């Protein structure tokens, strides 16, 4: 008799991602044999690299050129990430992938350090190695949710670099994707924001999200049938947080008004929007070459002739290249710069984030540090 359907579903999702990671790892290492040829029992790899150590501290010393990829799972102790950790541990043994875990302590609740240590102990019991519990300081910039996210990803980036990880798995589900799309819609963001979370993102596709096609209940059920303890973060039901209100009030109200299937429809919207956004980004990259003069300056006449969606992308790329932080460039900034092209009336220079200014001179758009 095979595993429970929920367990089978999460394992299959992780297996597919691990196959991709192995293939890319071998390609980058210059290997030309198929991924299966390099697979061997994971215990053999671990026996070569593992060192004794306390749970929650780094326990692996990696060789300079390991011949199998290391994949880390980011685990909060919640159902989604614990299900992901269990699936990674199971599939890694079959595929010969080295697997470890990272849990981030945001220091936002009493006893958070103890909970992080407990999560690390559970990850170690799954035979993951290395396992770390990393404490971070959460600032205030961008609000509590954004600040916590920034601190978490900074810690995960550092851990991936420290251990030489080929990928970090994240437990975002289809429900999380639907919430992300609605949040982008509420902000009046463009199509890129509506495209939600990518299956692979970050430097060289470091972050992988195997569960974007699975709902939250599947992950929770997988933990239940495997008797995996989970921790329900009280912040996830705290109405002070926008995503929590959306999860417990907004989406249920939409489903009541529109019927079941809203989450699936929003997830499809994310994928369709991502495809469109990728196509427009490619078009903008090609169009940018045609609207620069021999000195590399942007020609206003050429920009004016572009479709608005393409032109705004060209402008955004130019502003970021000049030093404007991508996360600080909003629609209103691009609209002001765009008016230098489409509504020129002798406006003064426009000041932008990152001490960048944009102005129109002699039929050219000049973007520079102020």
């Amino acid at each position: 008799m095979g595993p429970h359907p929920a367990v089978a579903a999460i394992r299959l999702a992780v297996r597919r991602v691990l196959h991709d990671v192995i293939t890319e790892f071998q390609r980058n290492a210059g290997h030309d044999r198929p991924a299966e040829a390099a697979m061997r029992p994971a215990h053999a790899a671990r026996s070569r690299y593992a060192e004794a150590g306390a749970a929650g501290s780094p326990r692996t010393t990696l060789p300079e050129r390991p011949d199998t990829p290391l994949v880390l799972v980011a685990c909060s102790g919640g159902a989604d990430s614990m299900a992901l950790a269990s699936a990674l541990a199971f599939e890694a043994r079959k595929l010969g992938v080295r697997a470890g875990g990272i849990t981030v302590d945001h220091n936002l609740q009493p006893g958070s350090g103890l909970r992080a240590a407990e999560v690390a102990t559970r990850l170690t019991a799954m035979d993951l190695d290395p396992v770390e519990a990393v404490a971070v300081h959460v600032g205030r910039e961008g609000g509590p949710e954004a600040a916590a996210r920034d601190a978490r990803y900074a810690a995960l980036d550092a851990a991936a670099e420290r251990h030489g990880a080929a990928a970090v798995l994240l437990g975002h589900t289809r429900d999380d994707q639907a919430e992300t799309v609605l949040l982008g819609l509420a902000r009046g963001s463009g199509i890129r924001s509506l495209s939600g979370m990518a299956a692979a993102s970050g430097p060289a596709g470091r972050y992988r999200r195997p569960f974007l096609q699975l709902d939250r209940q599947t992950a929770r059920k997988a933990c239940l049938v495997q008797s995996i303890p989970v921790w329900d973060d009280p912040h996830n039901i705290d109405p002070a947080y926008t995503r929590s209100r959306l999860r417990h009030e907004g989406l249920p109200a939409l489903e009541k008004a529109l019927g079941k299937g809203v989450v699936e429809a929003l997830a499809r919207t994310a994928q369709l929007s991502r495809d469109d956004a990728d196509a427009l980004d490619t078009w903008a990259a090609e169009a940018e070459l045609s609207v620069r003069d021999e000195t590399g300056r942007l020609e206003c006449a050429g920009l004016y002739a572009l479709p608005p969606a393409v032109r705004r992308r060209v402008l955004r790329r130019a502003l970021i290249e000049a030093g404007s932080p991508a996360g600080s460039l909003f629609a209103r900034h691009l609209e002001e710069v765009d008016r230098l092209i489409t509504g020129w009336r002798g406006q003064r220079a426009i000041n932008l984030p990152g001490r960048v200014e944009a102005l129109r001179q002699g039929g050219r758009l000049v973007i520079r540090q102020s």
Side-chain angles (χ1 to χ4, degrees):
M1 184 175 179
H4 186 279
V7 176
I10 66 170
R11 288 177 178 176
L12 177 59
V14 169
R15 188 183 316 143
R16 287 170 173 166
V17 169
L18 292 183
H19 275 290
D20 291 342
V21 171
I22 292 169
T23 299
E24 294 166 14
F25 178 84
Q26 292 178 347
R27 184 184 302 120
N28 293 336
H31 299 165
D32 55 7
R33 63 187 184 277
E36 291 80 0
M39 296 175 187
R40 62 178 183 274
H43 65 78
R46 277 194 296 273
S47 66
R48 293 172 58 194
Y49 306 130
E51 296 179 349
S57 61
R59 303 197 312 148
T60 296
T61 301
L62 299 179
E64 291 184 3
R65 296 188 62 183
D67 55 4
T68 56
L70 170 65
V71 177
L72 300 175
V73 58
C75 187
S76 67
D80 302 341
S81 59
M82 289 301 292
L84 182 59
S86 71
L88 173 61
F90 180 84
E91 294 296 332
R93 286 191 291 269
K94 295 174 62 178
L95 299 180
V97 174
R98 294 175 296 136
I102 303 294
T103 184
V104 177
D105 172 17
H106 297 85
N107 282 305
L108 295 177
Q109 301 172 37
S112 63
L114 289 175
R115 278 191 292 273
E118 290 174 2
V119 172
T121 298
R122 291 172 186 168
L123 296 178
T124 301
M126 291 180 181
D127 206 21
L128 297 180
D129 182 17
V131 168
E132 278 192 271
V134 182
V136 299
H137 171 73
V138 177
R140 297 183 178 181
E141 186 174 353
E145 292 168 285
R149 182 177 61 249
D150 291 344
R152 180 167 59 255
Y153 276 99
L156 294 176
D157 277 334
E161 294 292 338
R162 186 163 57 249
H163 294 290
V168 178
L169 304 190
L170 305 177
H172 297 120
T173 65
R174 186 171 61 191
D175 301 79
D176 297 306
Q177 184 75 298
E179 293 162 7
T180 302
V181 172
L182 284 176
L183 288 170
L185 184 62
R187 288 192 296 265
S189 303
I191 193 172
R192 177 56 72 184
S193 183
L194 296 183
S195 65
M197 296 174 286
S201 64
R206 167 180 291 160
Y207 294 108
R208 309 295 177 103
R209 299 176 174 87
F211 290 175
L212 286 183
Q213 302 302 318
L214 301 177
D215 62 33
R216 193 172 287 140
Q217 286 304 313
T218 298
R220 185 168 288 275
K221 185 66 174 179
C223 289
L224 179 64
V225 299
Q226 296 179 99
S227 299
I228 297 175
V230 300
W231 174 65
D232 290 316
D233 188 346
H235 283 173
N236 289 336
I237 57 173
D238 188 343
Y241 296 95
T242 304
R243 187 176 285 269
S244 175
R245 294 195 301 273
L246 179 60
R247 178 174 303 176
H248 298 287
E249 301 173 22
L251 270 173
L254 282 175
E255 291 192 333
K256 182 177 180 181
L258 303 175
K260 295 293 183 180
V262 170
V263 168
E264 293 86 344
L266 288 168
R268 285 196 301 273
T269 296
Q271 185 56 58
L272 293 171
S273 297
R274 180 166 298 280
D275 292 343
D276 290 348
D278 289 345
L280 286 168
D281 286 347
T282 300
W283 186 356
E286 296 170 352
E288 183 176 353
L289 300 176
S290 68
V291 296
R292 289 190 181 272
D293 63 18
E294 63 279 0
T295 66
R297 294 181 299 174
L298 291 167
E299 297 178 316
C300 294
L303 287 168
Y304 185 86
L306 294 175
V310 177
R311 182 174 60 245
R312 285 192 293 268
R313 280 169 165 76
V314 172
L315 295 176
R316 188 173 189 276
R317 286 166 57 92
L319 294 172
I320 293 173
E321 184 179 344
S324 274
S328 300
L329 276 177
F330 302 125
R332 68 176 186 273
H333 297 129
L334 293 177
E335 289 169 1
E336 290 180 17
V337 177
D338 196 43
R339 279 195 287 270
L340 295 176
I341 309 300
T342 62
W344 172 243
R345 297 184 305 277
Q347 298 99 309
R348 293 182 177 179
I350 298 170
N351 295 317
L352 299 157
R355 299 179 59 84
V356 172
E357 67 175 12
L359 65 155
R360 179 165 173 161
Q361 288 182 342
R364 303 291 190 271
L365 183 66
V366 179
I367 300 174
R368 64 193 181 193
Q369 287 284 328
S370 60

